[in-house]
């Protein structure tokens, strides 16, 4: 049942901003402008009949992300108010992992993840990325054309993360398909959630029987003593959070790079680091645009808005980025212009350095193999996947000089 804020709210309540409709994917900035016009906290729908407060102001976002006394990450009171077939449940349903936990449970889960990922050596992760890039470029190279979303960014993440989680390359397409359905929050979201859940359950069952040199095995043996169920949901979180946003980060960065030939030439010549392009995306086109979901523990007034309990309060990293870009365009330079794509406070991303390494190595390696990549379409004609949570290209078609496998001059 839809619950609306009380009439004394300062902004219009009759037409919540619909983040689920097709127009949002086409032009999210028009929607962010409408939300910001309502004040620091706007009113939206994440899916038909699923209302949410949306934080679009930086100061309000930081206050929310750091106020664990007022706000909780536990969605269970909200879950009882939505239909079982709601398309956003796959992304918002409670599970016993670090994302949906507070207090000591959160510290236990988070600590186990940090400890486990610290066992991944940077040189080893770099080698996994290089291997995946080599495999994919050898598939597409002879053709002289490719889709850098469907044939590079997304399968690359499936290859890299499956290797970290102890699964063979042959499972990559299954992982990519399930996560794509769940993330979009559309008609196939429940199917995607079920497929991804089954994927993870099979993985943990196999690692419970026989350990390997991989992340799930290390979690199962961690001193925190996580149960197999807890490990399952930690893996559900980290595998999903690693694959989808990182794939979007790579494809969004590539689209910006290739859309500006001068920019691209400075990167391929080594005059400018790829990290600049990745950070630019985090500032202006963050791949996880609307998430950081909280729930008020009790009704409260927050930055001029009346917040009811059991209604999602979403941090719009996309709206924050849009606001910052408008400030720069207008000649305003705030004292703190750092992005919040990694979130902030006790739930800030604990493994951002791994994401940055994967993204930058993938782009650097690709442009070494295929140095004359050229976009088929101008950037303004590219299409974007629907869904309230992400900023994700549907495809990124390119052409390049055909490259045969193992020809002289291949990167080592």
């Amino acid at each position: 049942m839809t619950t609306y804020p009380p009439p004394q709210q300062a902004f219009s309540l009759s037409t919540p901003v619909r983040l689920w409709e097709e127009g949002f994917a086409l032009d999210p900035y028009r929607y962010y402008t409408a939300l910001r016009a309502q004040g620091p906290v706007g009113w939206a729908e994440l899916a038909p009949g699923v209302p949410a407060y949306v934080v679009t102001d930086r100061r309000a976002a930081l206050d929310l992300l750091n106020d664990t006394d007022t706000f909780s990450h536990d969605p269970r009171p909200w879950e009882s108010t939505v239909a079982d077939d709601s398309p956003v449940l796959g992304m918002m349903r409670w599970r016993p992992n670090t994302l949906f936990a507070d207090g000591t449970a959160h510290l236990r889960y988070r600590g186990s993840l940090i400890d486990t990922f610290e066992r991944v050596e940077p040189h080893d992760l770099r080698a996994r990325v290089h291997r995946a890039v080599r495999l994919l470029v050898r598939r597409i190279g002879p053709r002289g054309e490719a889709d850098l979303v469907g044939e590079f960014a997304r399968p690359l993440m499936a290859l890299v993360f499956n290797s970290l989680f102890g699964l063979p390359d042959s499972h990559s397409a299954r992982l990519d398909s399930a996560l794509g359905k769940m993330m979009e929050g559309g008609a196939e979201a429940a199917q995607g959630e079920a497929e991804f859940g089954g994927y993870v359950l099979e993985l943990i069952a196999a690692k419970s029987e026989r350990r390997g040199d991989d992340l799930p095995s290390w979690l199962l043996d961690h001193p925190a003593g996580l149960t197999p169920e807890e490990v399952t949901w930690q893996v559900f979180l980290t595998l999903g959070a690693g694959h989808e946003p990182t794939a979007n980060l790579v494809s969004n960065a590539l689209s910006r790079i290739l859309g500006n030939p001068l920019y691209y030439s400075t990167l391929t010549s080594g005059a400018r680091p790829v990290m600049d392009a990745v950070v630019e995306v985090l500032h202006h086109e963050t791949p996880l645009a609307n998430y950081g979901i909280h729930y008020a523990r009790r009704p409260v007034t927050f930055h001029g808005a009346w917040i009811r309990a059991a209604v999602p309060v979403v941090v719009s990293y996309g709206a924050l980025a849009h606001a910052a870009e408008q400030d720069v365009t207008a000649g305003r330079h705030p004292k703190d212009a750092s992005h919040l794509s990694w979130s902030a406070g006790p739930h800030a991303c604990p493994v951002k350095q791994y994401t940055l390494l994967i993204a930058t190595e993938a782009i650097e390696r690709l442009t070494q193999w295929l140095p004359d990549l050229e976009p088929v379409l101008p950037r303004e004609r590219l299409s974007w996947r629907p869904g309230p949570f992400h900023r994700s290209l549907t495809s990124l078609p390119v052409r390049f000089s055909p490259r045969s496998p193992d020809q002289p001059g291949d990167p080592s």
Side-chain angles (χ1 to χ4, degrees), residues 254-282:
L254 282 167
S255 72
R256 281 180 170 260
I257 292 168
L258 300 179
N260 185 338
L262 292 176
Y263 191 2
Y264 184 33
S265 66
T266 63
L267 291 172
T268 54
S269 68
R272 190 175 185 181
V274 167
M275 182 65 78
D276 284 3
V278 172
V279 171
E280 184 177 313
V281 167
L282 292 170

PDB file of all heavy atoms in Angstrom, residues 254-282:
ATOM      1  N   LEU A 254      34.513   4.256 -20.702  1.00  0.00           N
ATOM      2  CA  LEU A 254      34.874   4.075 -22.103  1.00  0.00           C
ATOM      3  C   LEU A 254      34.035   4.960 -23.018  1.00  0.00           C
ATOM      4  O   LEU A 254      34.549   5.531 -23.989  1.00  0.00           O
ATOM      5  CB  LEU A 254      34.713   2.605 -22.503  1.00  0.00           C
ATOM      6  CG  LEU A 254      35.832   1.668 -22.064  1.00  0.00           C
ATOM      7  CD1 LEU A 254      35.417   0.215 -22.241  1.00  0.00           C
ATOM      8  CD2 LEU A 254      37.121   1.953 -22.841  1.00  0.00           C
ATOM      9  N   SER A 255      32.756   5.104 -22.706  1.00  0.00           N
ATOM     10  CA  SER A 255      31.909   5.944 -23.560  1.00  0.00           C
ATOM     11  C   SER A 255      32.337   7.404 -23.491  1.00  0.00           C
ATOM     12  O   SER A 255      32.316   8.124 -24.499  1.00  0.00           O
ATOM     13  CB  SER A 255      30.436   5.805 -23.152  1.00  0.00           C
ATOM     14  OG  SER A 255      30.162   6.444 -21.925  1.00  0.00           O
ATOM     15  N   ARG A 256      32.759   7.865 -22.321  1.00  0.00           N
ATOM     16  CA  ARG A 256      33.245   9.243 -22.194  1.00  0.00           C
ATOM     17  C   ARG A 256      34.586   9.413 -22.911  1.00  0.00           C
ATOM     18  O   ARG A 256      34.830  10.416 -23.574  1.00  0.00           O
ATOM     19  CB  ARG A 256      33.385   9.616 -20.717  1.00  0.00           C
ATOM     20  CG  ARG A 256      32.065   9.977 -20.047  1.00  0.00           C
ATOM     21  CD  ARG A 256      32.241  10.337 -18.584  1.00  0.00           C
ATOM     22  NE  ARG A 256      31.011  10.889 -18.042  1.00  0.00           N
ATOM     23  CZ  ARG A 256      30.778  12.189 -17.874  1.00  0.00           C
ATOM     24  NH1 ARG A 256      31.692  13.074 -18.185  1.00  0.00           N
ATOM     25  NH2 ARG A 256      29.625  12.603 -17.382  1.00  0.00           N
ATOM     26  N   ILE A 257      35.461   8.446 -22.758  1.00  0.00           N
ATOM     27  CA  ILE A 257      36.775   8.518 -23.399  1.00  0.00           C
ATOM     28  C   ILE A 257      36.638   8.537 -24.924  1.00  0.00           C
ATOM     29  O   ILE A 257      37.197   9.396 -25.620  1.00  0.00           O
ATOM     30  CB  ILE A 257      37.644   7.329 -22.966  1.00  0.00           C
ATOM     31  CG1 ILE A 257      38.013   7.439 -21.484  1.00  0.00           C
ATOM     32  CG2 ILE A 257      38.901   7.235 -23.818  1.00  0.00           C
ATOM     33  CD1 ILE A 257      38.627   6.170 -20.921  1.00  0.00           C
ATOM     34  N   LEU A 258      35.878   7.584 -25.462  1.00  0.00           N
ATOM     35  CA  LEU A 258      35.766   7.460 -26.907  1.00  0.00           C
ATOM     36  C   LEU A 258      34.944   8.584 -27.521  1.00  0.00           C
ATOM     37  O   LEU A 258      35.077   8.887 -28.708  1.00  0.00           O
ATOM     38  CB  LEU A 258      35.157   6.106 -27.265  1.00  0.00           C
ATOM     39  CG  LEU A 258      35.947   4.876 -26.798  1.00  0.00           C
ATOM     40  CD1 LEU A 258      35.233   3.598 -27.184  1.00  0.00           C
ATOM     41  CD2 LEU A 258      37.351   4.901 -27.377  1.00  0.00           C
ATOM     42  N   GLY A 259      34.081   9.197 -26.722  1.00  0.00           N
ATOM     43  CA  GLY A 259      33.282  10.310 -27.213  1.00  0.00           C
ATOM     44  C   GLY A 259      34.056  11.603 -27.345  1.00  0.00           C
ATOM     45  O   GLY A 259      33.538  12.591 -27.873  1.00  0.00           O
ATOM     46  N   ASN A 260      35.296  11.620 -26.881  1.00  0.00           N
ATOM     47  CA  ASN A 260      36.142  12.812 -26.947  1.00  0.00           C
ATOM     48  C   ASN A 260      37.504  12.402 -27.517  1.00  0.00           C
ATOM     49  O   ASN A 260      38.375  11.947 -26.775  1.00  0.00           O
ATOM     50  CB  ASN A 260      36.305  13.420 -25.553  1.00  0.00           C
ATOM     51  CG  ASN A 260      37.064  14.728 -25.564  1.00  0.00           C
ATOM     52  OD1 ASN A 260      37.820  15.006 -26.492  1.00  0.00           O
ATOM     53  ND2 ASN A 260      36.872  15.526 -24.524  1.00  0.00           N
ATOM     54  N   PRO A 261      37.691  12.541 -28.840  1.00  0.00           N
ATOM     55  CA  PRO A 261      38.934  12.063 -29.463  1.00  0.00           C
ATOM     56  C   PRO A 261      40.200  12.669 -28.862  1.00  0.00           C
ATOM     57  O   PRO A 261      41.216  11.977 -28.727  1.00  0.00           O
ATOM     58  CB  PRO A 261      38.763  12.482 -30.931  1.00  0.00           C
ATOM     59  CG  PRO A 261      37.283  12.570 -31.125  1.00  0.00           C
ATOM     60  CD  PRO A 261      36.734  13.053 -29.820  1.00  0.00           C
ATOM     61  N   LEU A 262      40.147  13.950 -28.471  1.00  0.00           N
ATOM     62  CA  LEU A 262      41.332  14.567 -27.881  1.00  0.00           C
ATOM     63  C   LEU A 262      41.665  13.928 -26.538  1.00  0.00           C
ATOM     64  O   LEU A 262      42.824  13.669 -26.212  1.00  0.00           O
ATOM     65  CB  LEU A 262      41.117  16.072 -27.725  1.00  0.00           C
ATOM     66  CG  LEU A 262      41.034  16.874 -29.032  1.00  0.00           C
ATOM     67  CD1 LEU A 262      40.729  18.343 -28.733  1.00  0.00           C
ATOM     68  CD2 LEU A 262      42.331  16.751 -29.826  1.00  0.00           C
ATOM     69  N   TYR A 263      40.618  13.671 -25.767  1.00  0.00           N
ATOM     70  CA  TYR A 263      40.779  13.018 -24.477  1.00  0.00           C
ATOM     71  C   TYR A 263      41.364  11.621 -24.684  1.00  0.00           C
ATOM     72  O   TYR A 263      42.309  11.202 -24.006  1.00  0.00           O
ATOM     73  CB  TYR A 263      39.414  12.953 -23.808  1.00  0.00           C
ATOM     74  CG  TYR A 263      39.396  12.555 -22.352  1.00  0.00           C
ATOM     75  CD1 TYR A 263      40.557  12.292 -21.630  1.00  0.00           C
ATOM     76  CD2 TYR A 263      38.176  12.463 -21.686  1.00  0.00           C
ATOM     77  CE1 TYR A 263      40.507  11.935 -20.303  1.00  0.00           C
ATOM     78  CE2 TYR A 263      38.126  12.113 -20.353  1.00  0.00           C
ATOM     79  CZ  TYR A 263      39.292  11.839 -19.666  1.00  0.00           C
ATOM     80  OH  TYR A 263      39.236  11.485 -18.345  1.00  0.00           O
ATOM     81  N   TYR A 264      40.811  10.902 -25.652  1.00  0.00           N
ATOM     82  CA  TYR A 264      41.262   9.532 -25.916  1.00  0.00           C
ATOM     83  C   TYR A 264      42.730   9.506 -26.314  1.00  0.00           C
ATOM     84  O   TYR A 264      43.506   8.651 -25.860  1.00  0.00           O
ATOM     85  CB  TYR A 264      40.389   8.929 -27.021  1.00  0.00           C
ATOM     86  CG  TYR A 264      40.675   7.483 -27.354  1.00  0.00           C
ATOM     87  CD1 TYR A 264      41.097   6.586 -26.376  1.00  0.00           C
ATOM     88  CD2 TYR A 264      40.512   7.001 -28.646  1.00  0.00           C
ATOM     89  CE1 TYR A 264      41.345   5.260 -26.679  1.00  0.00           C
ATOM     90  CE2 TYR A 264      40.750   5.678 -28.966  1.00  0.00           C
ATOM     91  CZ  TYR A 264      41.168   4.810 -27.975  1.00  0.00           C
ATOM     92  OH  TYR A 264      41.408   3.487 -28.274  1.00  0.00           O
ATOM     93  N   SER A 265      43.148  10.469 -27.140  1.00  0.00           N
ATOM     94  CA  SER A 265      44.539  10.476 -27.592  1.00  0.00           C
ATOM     95  C   SER A 265      45.507  10.724 -26.437  1.00  0.00           C
ATOM     96  O   SER A 265      46.611  10.176 -26.426  1.00  0.00           O
ATOM     97  CB  SER A 265      44.738  11.540 -28.677  1.00  0.00           C
ATOM     98  OG  SER A 265      44.558  12.846 -28.151  1.00  0.00           O
ATOM     99  N   THR A 266      45.105  11.529 -25.459  1.00  0.00           N
ATOM    100  CA  THR A 266      45.990  11.764 -24.312  1.00  0.00           C
ATOM    101  C   THR A 266      46.109  10.521 -23.446  1.00  0.00           C
ATOM    102  O   THR A 266      47.147  10.296 -22.818  1.00  0.00           O
ATOM    103  CB  THR A 266      45.499  12.937 -23.447  1.00  0.00           C
ATOM    104  OG1 THR A 266      44.217  12.622 -22.883  1.00  0.00           O
ATOM    105  CG2 THR A 266      45.401  14.219 -24.254  1.00  0.00           C
ATOM    106  N   LEU A 267      45.051   9.696 -23.428  1.00  0.00           N
ATOM    107  CA  LEU A 267      45.107   8.466 -22.640  1.00  0.00           C
ATOM    108  C   LEU A 267      45.955   7.407 -23.331  1.00  0.00           C
ATOM    109  O   LEU A 267      46.788   6.756 -22.704  1.00  0.00           O
ATOM    110  CB  LEU A 267      43.691   7.937 -22.398  1.00  0.00           C
ATOM    111  CG  LEU A 267      42.812   8.767 -21.462  1.00  0.00           C
ATOM    112  CD1 LEU A 267      41.385   8.238 -21.485  1.00  0.00           C
ATOM    113  CD2 LEU A 267      43.349   8.730 -20.049  1.00  0.00           C
ATOM    114  N   THR A 268      45.749   7.220 -24.646  1.00  0.00           N
ATOM    115  CA  THR A 268      46.492   6.182 -25.356  1.00  0.00           C
ATOM    116  C   THR A 268      47.968   6.534 -25.489  1.00  0.00           C
ATOM    117  O   THR A 268      48.814   5.644 -25.601  1.00  0.00           O
ATOM    118  CB  THR A 268      45.891   5.940 -26.750  1.00  0.00           C
ATOM    119  OG1 THR A 268      45.823   7.189 -27.460  1.00  0.00           O
ATOM    120  CG2 THR A 268      44.498   5.345 -26.633  1.00  0.00           C
ATOM    121  N   SER A 269      48.285   7.833 -25.452  1.00  0.00           N
ATOM    122  CA  SER A 269      49.685   8.235 -25.527  1.00  0.00           C
ATOM    123  C   SER A 269      50.382   8.181 -24.179  1.00  0.00           C
ATOM    124  O   SER A 269      51.598   8.325 -24.092  1.00  0.00           O
ATOM    125  CB  SER A 269      49.785   9.669 -26.078  1.00  0.00           C
ATOM    126  OG  SER A 269      49.266  10.605 -25.148  1.00  0.00           O
ATOM    127  N   GLY A 270      49.606   8.004 -23.127  1.00  0.00           N
ATOM    128  CA  GLY A 270      50.183   7.961 -21.791  1.00  0.00           C
ATOM    129  C   GLY A 270      50.319   9.317 -21.140  1.00  0.00           C
ATOM    130  O   GLY A 270      50.814   9.425 -20.013  1.00  0.00           O
ATOM    131  N   ALA A 271      49.857  10.386 -21.840  1.00  0.00           N
ATOM    132  CA  ALA A 271      49.982  11.733 -21.276  1.00  0.00           C
ATOM    133  C   ALA A 271      49.000  11.959 -20.131  1.00  0.00           C
ATOM    134  O   ALA A 271      49.197  12.844 -19.301  1.00  0.00           O
ATOM    135  CB  ALA A 271      49.762  12.779 -22.371  1.00  0.00           C
ATOM    136  N   ARG A 272      47.954  11.163 -20.111  1.00  0.00           N
ATOM    137  CA  ARG A 272      46.937  11.308 -19.070  1.00  0.00           C
ATOM    138  C   ARG A 272      46.552   9.928 -18.571  1.00  0.00           C
ATOM    139  O   ARG A 272      46.321   9.017 -19.374  1.00  0.00           O
ATOM    140  CB  ARG A 272      45.708  12.032 -19.638  1.00  0.00           C
ATOM    141  CG  ARG A 272      44.680  12.452 -18.608  1.00  0.00           C
ATOM    142  CD  ARG A 272      43.592  13.268 -19.286  1.00  0.00           C
ATOM    143  NE  ARG A 272      42.643  13.808 -18.319  1.00  0.00           N
ATOM    144  CZ  ARG A 272      41.580  14.533 -18.630  1.00  0.00           C
ATOM    145  NH1 ARG A 272      41.337  14.816 -19.898  1.00  0.00           N
ATOM    146  NH2 ARG A 272      40.770  14.984 -17.702  1.00  0.00           N
ATOM    147  N   PRO A 273      46.474   9.717 -17.270  1.00  0.00           N
ATOM    148  CA  PRO A 273      46.152   8.374 -16.767  1.00  0.00           C
ATOM    149  C   PRO A 273      44.684   8.023 -16.935  1.00  0.00           C
ATOM    150  O   PRO A 273      43.806   8.900 -16.897  1.00  0.00           O
ATOM    151  CB  PRO A 273      46.529   8.460 -15.285  1.00  0.00           C
ATOM    152  CG  PRO A 273      46.406   9.900 -14.939  1.00  0.00           C
ATOM    153  CD  PRO A 273      46.789  10.658 -16.180  1.00  0.00           C
ATOM    154  N   VAL A 274      44.429   6.723 -17.140  1.00  0.00           N
ATOM    155  CA  VAL A 274      43.050   6.240 -17.238  1.00  0.00           C
ATOM    156  C   VAL A 274      42.267   6.561 -15.965  1.00  0.00           C
ATOM    157  O   VAL A 274      41.060   6.790 -16.010  1.00  0.00           O
ATOM    158  CB  VAL A 274      43.050   4.725 -17.522  1.00  0.00           C
ATOM    159  CG1 VAL A 274      41.667   4.123 -17.320  1.00  0.00           C
ATOM    160  CG2 VAL A 274      43.528   4.458 -18.941  1.00  0.00           C
ATOM    161  N   MET A 275      42.957   6.590 -14.838  1.00  0.00           N
ATOM    162  CA  MET A 275      42.275   6.886 -13.578  1.00  0.00           C
ATOM    163  C   MET A 275      41.500   8.198 -13.651  1.00  0.00           C
ATOM    164  O   MET A 275      40.439   8.335 -13.030  1.00  0.00           O
ATOM    165  CB  MET A 275      43.288   6.948 -12.434  1.00  0.00           C
ATOM    166  CG  MET A 275      42.692   7.211 -11.062  1.00  0.00           C
ATOM    167  SD  MET A 275      41.622   5.861 -10.492  1.00  0.00           S
ATOM    168  CE  MET A 275      42.866   4.688  -9.960  1.00  0.00           C
ATOM    169  N   ASP A 276      41.996   9.170 -14.442  1.00  0.00           N
ATOM    170  CA  ASP A 276      41.277  10.440 -14.581  1.00  0.00           C
ATOM    171  C   ASP A 276      39.873  10.212 -15.132  1.00  0.00           C
ATOM    172  O   ASP A 276      38.903  10.812 -14.671  1.00  0.00           O
ATOM    173  CB  ASP A 276      42.037  11.389 -15.513  1.00  0.00           C
ATOM    174  CG  ASP A 276      43.244  12.027 -14.850  1.00  0.00           C
ATOM    175  OD1 ASP A 276      43.523  11.693 -13.676  1.00  0.00           O
ATOM    176  OD2 ASP A 276      43.901  12.856 -15.496  1.00  0.00           O
ATOM    177  N   ALA A 277      39.769   9.352 -16.142  1.00  0.00           N
ATOM    178  CA  ALA A 277      38.464   9.081 -16.744  1.00  0.00           C
ATOM    179  C   ALA A 277      37.552   8.336 -15.781  1.00  0.00           C
ATOM    180  O   ALA A 277      36.348   8.603 -15.709  1.00  0.00           O
ATOM    181  CB  ALA A 277      38.635   8.275 -18.028  1.00  0.00           C
ATOM    182  N   VAL A 278      38.123   7.400 -15.037  1.00  0.00           N
ATOM    183  CA  VAL A 278      37.325   6.642 -14.068  1.00  0.00           C
ATOM    184  C   VAL A 278      36.794   7.567 -12.972  1.00  0.00           C
ATOM    185  O   VAL A 278      35.619   7.520 -12.608  1.00  0.00           O
ATOM    186  CB  VAL A 278      38.168   5.498 -13.477  1.00  0.00           C
ATOM    187  CG1 VAL A 278      37.428   4.814 -12.335  1.00  0.00           C
ATOM    188  CG2 VAL A 278      38.525   4.483 -14.560  1.00  0.00           C
ATOM    189  N   VAL A 279      37.648   8.431 -12.456  1.00  0.00           N
ATOM    190  CA  VAL A 279      37.222   9.364 -11.413  1.00  0.00           C
ATOM    191  C   VAL A 279      36.194  10.343 -11.961  1.00  0.00           C
ATOM    192  O   VAL A 279      35.242  10.730 -11.263  1.00  0.00           O
ATOM    193  CB  VAL A 279      38.444  10.106 -10.826  1.00  0.00           C
ATOM    194  CG1 VAL A 279      38.003  11.230  -9.898  1.00  0.00           C
ATOM    195  CG2 VAL A 279      39.331   9.128 -10.068  1.00  0.00           C
ATOM    196  N   GLU A 280      36.342  10.737 -13.226  1.00  0.00           N
ATOM    197  CA  GLU A 280      35.356  11.633 -13.835  1.00  0.00           C
ATOM    198  C   GLU A 280      33.973  10.992 -13.850  1.00  0.00           C
ATOM    199  O   GLU A 280      32.964  11.650 -13.583  1.00  0.00           O
ATOM    200  CB  GLU A 280      35.795  11.988 -15.258  1.00  0.00           C
ATOM    201  CG  GLU A 280      34.892  12.997 -15.946  1.00  0.00           C
ATOM    202  CD  GLU A 280      35.401  13.375 -17.323  1.00  0.00           C
ATOM    203  OE1 GLU A 280      36.602  13.664 -17.445  1.00  0.00           O
ATOM    204  OE2 GLU A 280      34.583  13.372 -18.263  1.00  0.00           O
ATOM    205  N   VAL A 281      33.909   9.707 -14.156  1.00  0.00           N
ATOM    206  CA  VAL A 281      32.624   9.003 -14.137  1.00  0.00           C
ATOM    207  C   VAL A 281      32.061   8.959 -12.717  1.00  0.00           C
ATOM    208  O   VAL A 281      30.859   9.181 -12.502  1.00  0.00           O
ATOM    209  CB  VAL A 281      32.779   7.575 -14.704  1.00  0.00           C
ATOM    210  CG1 VAL A 281      31.542   6.736 -14.405  1.00  0.00           C
ATOM    211  CG2 VAL A 281      33.020   7.634 -16.199  1.00  0.00           C
ATOM    212  N   LEU A 282      32.894   8.692 -11.738  1.00  0.00           N
ATOM    213  CA  LEU A 282      32.426   8.659 -10.355  1.00  0.00           C
ATOM    214  C   LEU A 282      31.887  10.015  -9.923  1.00  0.00           C
ATOM    215  O   LEU A 282      30.966  10.100  -9.107  1.00  0.00           O
ATOM    216  CB  LEU A 282      33.564   8.219  -9.433  1.00  0.00           C
ATOM    217  CG  LEU A 282      34.019   6.770  -9.608  1.00  0.00           C
ATOM    218  CD1 LEU A 282      35.297   6.512  -8.821  1.00  0.00           C
ATOM    219  CD2 LEU A 282      32.934   5.792  -9.189  1.00  0.00           C
TER     220      LEU A 282
END
